[in-house]
PDB file of all heavy atoms in Angstrom:
ATOM      1  N   LEU A 383      73.998  55.477  89.390  1.00  0.00           N
ATOM      2  CA  LEU A 383      73.860  54.576  90.420  1.00  0.00           C
ATOM      3  C   LEU A 383      74.133  55.174  91.802  1.00  0.00           C
ATOM      4  O   LEU A 383      73.610  54.852  92.798  1.00  0.00           O
ATOM      5  CB  LEU A 383      74.727  53.361  90.241  1.00  0.00           C
ATOM      6  CG  LEU A 383      74.118  52.108  89.631  1.00  0.00           C
ATOM      7  CD1 LEU A 383      75.170  51.097  89.346  1.00  0.00           C
ATOM      8  CD2 LEU A 383      72.967  51.549  90.409  1.00  0.00           C
ATOM      9  N   VAL A 384      75.141  56.140  91.748  1.00  0.00           N
ATOM     10  CA  VAL A 384      75.601  56.686  93.026  1.00  0.00           C
ATOM     11  C   VAL A 384      74.986  57.977  93.412  1.00  0.00           C
ATOM     12  O   VAL A 384      75.456  58.753  94.246  1.00  0.00           O
ATOM     13  CB  VAL A 384      77.205  56.759  93.083  1.00  0.00           C
ATOM     14  CG1 VAL A 384      77.797  55.412  92.965  1.00  0.00           C
ATOM     15  CG2 VAL A 384      77.619  57.685  91.957  1.00  0.00           C
ATOM     16  N   HIS A 385      73.808  58.360  92.821  1.00  0.00           N
ATOM     17  CA  HIS A 385      73.201  59.675  93.056  1.00  0.00           C
ATOM     18  C   HIS A 385      72.818  59.818  94.504  1.00  0.00           C
ATOM     19  O   HIS A 385      72.781  61.013  95.036  1.00  0.00           O
ATOM     20  CB  HIS A 385      72.004  59.767  92.150  1.00  0.00           C
ATOM     21  CG  HIS A 385      70.798  58.854  92.521  1.00  0.00           C
ATOM     22  ND1 HIS A 385      69.933  59.031  93.589  1.00  0.00           N
ATOM     23  CD2 HIS A 385      70.518  57.728  91.825  1.00  0.00           C
ATOM     24  CE1 HIS A 385      69.066  58.083  93.613  1.00  0.00           C
ATOM     25  NE2 HIS A 385      69.320  57.306  92.614  1.00  0.00           N
ATOM     26  N   GLY A 386      72.574  58.826  95.208  1.00  0.00           N
ATOM     27  CA  GLY A 386      72.207  58.920  96.700  1.00  0.00           C
ATOM     28  C   GLY A 386      73.474  58.989  97.571  1.00  0.00           C
ATOM     29  O   GLY A 386      73.216  59.387  98.847  1.00  0.00           O
ATOM     30  N   ASP A 387      74.566  59.024  97.090  1.00  0.00           N
ATOM     31  CA  ASP A 387      75.791  59.095  97.844  1.00  0.00           C
ATOM     32  C   ASP A 387      76.880  60.186  97.358  1.00  0.00           C
ATOM     33  O   ASP A 387      77.754  60.539  98.016  1.00  0.00           O
ATOM     34  CB  ASP A 387      76.586  57.813  97.886  1.00  0.00           C
ATOM     35  CG  ASP A 387      75.732  56.661  98.561  1.00  0.00           C
ATOM     36  OD1 ASP A 387      75.746  56.556  99.803  1.00  0.00           O
ATOM     37  OD2 ASP A 387      75.078  55.991  97.799  1.00  0.00           O
ATOM     38  N   ARG A 390      77.422  62.991  99.700  1.00  0.00           N
ATOM     39  CA  ARG A 390      77.644  62.672 101.157  1.00  0.00           C
ATOM     40  C   ARG A 390      78.866  63.549 101.603  1.00  0.00           C
ATOM     41  O   ARG A 390      79.924  63.468 100.937  1.00  0.00           O
ATOM     42  CB  ARG A 390      77.925  61.243 101.227  1.00  0.00           C
ATOM     43  CG  ARG A 390      77.963  60.690 102.783  1.00  0.00           C
ATOM     44  CD  ARG A 390      78.151  59.271 102.770  1.00  0.00           C
ATOM     45  NE  ARG A 390      77.005  58.495 102.072  1.00  0.00           N
ATOM     46  CZ  ARG A 390      75.749  58.372 102.624  1.00  0.00           C
ATOM     47  NH1 ARG A 390      75.495  58.931 103.767  1.00  0.00           N
ATOM     48  NH2 ARG A 390      74.839  57.696 101.952  1.00  0.00           N
ATOM     49  N   ARG A 459      78.056  70.261 106.443  1.00  0.00           N
ATOM     50  CA  ARG A 459      77.300  70.010 107.614  1.00  0.00           C
ATOM     51  C   ARG A 459      78.238  70.147 108.882  1.00  0.00           C
ATOM     52  O   ARG A 459      78.054  69.372 109.810  1.00  0.00           O
ATOM     53  CB  ARG A 459      76.604  68.687 107.637  1.00  0.00           C
ATOM     54  CG  ARG A 459      75.556  68.449 106.402  1.00  0.00           C
ATOM     55  CD  ARG A 459      75.061  67.069 106.474  1.00  0.00           C
ATOM     56  NE  ARG A 459      74.349  66.799 105.195  1.00  0.00           N
ATOM     57  CZ  ARG A 459      74.011  65.552 104.855  1.00  0.00           C
ATOM     58  NH1 ARG A 459      74.334  64.580 105.654  1.00  0.00           N
ATOM     59  NH2 ARG A 459      73.439  65.341 103.722  1.00  0.00           N
ATOM     60  N   ARG A 536      69.001  64.066  96.808  1.00  0.00           N
ATOM     61  CA  ARG A 536      69.134  63.819  98.233  1.00  0.00           C
ATOM     62  C   ARG A 536      70.165  62.749  98.469  1.00  0.00           C
ATOM     63  O   ARG A 536      70.400  61.949  97.661  1.00  0.00           O
ATOM     64  CB  ARG A 536      67.820  63.376  98.717  1.00  0.00           C
ATOM     65  CG  ARG A 536      66.691  64.426  98.768  1.00  0.00           C
ATOM     66  CD  ARG A 536      65.551  64.140  99.636  1.00  0.00           C
ATOM     67  NE  ARG A 536      64.958  62.815  99.244  1.00  0.00           N
ATOM     68  CZ  ARG A 536      64.032  62.795  98.241  1.00  0.00           C
ATOM     69  NH1 ARG A 536      63.555  63.827  97.684  1.00  0.00           N
ATOM     70  NH2 ARG A 536      63.499  61.553  97.844  1.00  0.00           N
ATOM     71  N   THR A 537      70.798  62.854  99.705  1.00  0.00           N
ATOM     72  CA  THR A 537      71.734  61.857 100.119  1.00  0.00           C
ATOM     73  C   THR A 537      71.048  60.733 100.912  1.00  0.00           C
ATOM     74  O   THR A 537      70.101  60.982 101.863  1.00  0.00           O
ATOM     75  CB  THR A 537      72.834  62.496 100.920  1.00  0.00           C
ATOM     76  OG1 THR A 537      73.393  63.541 100.200  1.00  0.00           O
ATOM     77  CG2 THR A 537      73.892  61.503 101.402  1.00  0.00           C
ATOM     78  N   ASN A 538      71.270  59.489 100.672  1.00  0.00           N
ATOM     79  CA  ASN A 538      70.736  58.360 101.342  1.00  0.00           C
ATOM     80  C   ASN A 538      71.227  58.223 102.753  1.00  0.00           C
ATOM     81  O   ASN A 538      72.307  58.811 103.100  1.00  0.00           O
ATOM     82  CB  ASN A 538      71.053  57.018 100.614  1.00  0.00           C
ATOM     83  CG  ASN A 538      70.313  56.906  99.311  1.00  0.00           C
ATOM     84  OD1 ASN A 538      69.365  57.694  98.980  1.00  0.00           O
ATOM     85  ND2 ASN A 538      70.902  56.140  98.333  1.00  0.00           N
ATOM     86  N   GLN A 539      70.413  57.540 103.645  1.00  0.00           N
ATOM     87  CA  GLN A 539      70.832  57.443 105.039  1.00  0.00           C
ATOM     88  C   GLN A 539      72.023  56.496 105.148  1.00  0.00           C
ATOM     89  O   GLN A 539      72.931  56.703 105.873  1.00  0.00           O
ATOM     90  CB  GLN A 539      69.611  56.842 105.799  1.00  0.00           C
ATOM     91  CG  GLN A 539      68.413  57.713 105.887  1.00  0.00           C
ATOM     92  CD  GLN A 539      68.520  58.759 107.081  1.00  0.00           C
ATOM     93  OE1 GLN A 539      69.064  58.323 108.061  1.00  0.00           O
ATOM     94  NE2 GLN A 539      67.937  59.899 106.929  1.00  0.00           N
ATOM     95  N   ILE A 540      71.890  55.292 104.376  1.00  0.00           N
ATOM     96  CA  ILE A 540      72.962  54.411 104.538  1.00  0.00           C
ATOM     97  C   ILE A 540      73.926  54.387 103.324  1.00  0.00           C
ATOM     98  O   ILE A 540      73.605  54.500 102.157  1.00  0.00           O
ATOM     99  CB  ILE A 540      72.355  52.950 104.609  1.00  0.00           C
ATOM    100  CG1 ILE A 540      71.363  52.856 105.670  1.00  0.00           C
ATOM    101  CG2 ILE A 540      73.369  51.816 104.600  1.00  0.00           C
ATOM    102  CD1 ILE A 540      70.421  51.614 105.668  1.00  0.00           C
ATOM    103  N   PRO A 541      75.307  54.570 103.701  1.00  0.00           N
ATOM    104  CA  PRO A 541      76.208  54.620 102.508  1.00  0.00           C
ATOM    105  C   PRO A 541      76.196  53.381 101.641  1.00  0.00           C
ATOM    106  O   PRO A 541      76.140  52.377 102.078  1.00  0.00           O
ATOM    107  CB  PRO A 541      77.541  54.851 103.195  1.00  0.00           C
ATOM    108  CG  PRO A 541      77.290  55.152 104.614  1.00  0.00           C
ATOM    109  CD  PRO A 541      75.966  54.489 104.963  1.00  0.00           C
ATOM    110  N   ARG A 542      76.386  53.645 100.378  1.00  0.00           N
ATOM    111  CA  ARG A 542      76.479  52.549  99.398  1.00  0.00           C
ATOM    112  C   ARG A 542      77.917  51.939  99.460  1.00  0.00           C
ATOM    113  O   ARG A 542      78.902  52.595  99.618  1.00  0.00           O
ATOM    114  CB  ARG A 542      76.147  53.122  98.067  1.00  0.00           C
ATOM    115  CG  ARG A 542      76.171  52.061  96.922  1.00  0.00           C
ATOM    116  CD  ARG A 542      76.006  52.844  95.601  1.00  0.00           C
ATOM    117  NE  ARG A 542      76.132  51.943  94.395  1.00  0.00           N
ATOM    118  CZ  ARG A 542      75.107  51.093  93.915  1.00  0.00           C
ATOM    119  NH1 ARG A 542      73.988  51.250  94.446  1.00  0.00           N
ATOM    120  NH2 ARG A 542      75.421  50.359  92.893  1.00  0.00           N
TER     121      ARG A 542
END
Side-chain angles (χ1 to χ4, degrees):
L383 267 175
V384 294
H385 68 79
D387 296 275
R390 190 175 300 283
R459 300 178 197 164
R536 288 196 303 273
T537 303
N538 293 339
Q539 294 276 327
I540 302 162
R542 179 187 176 83

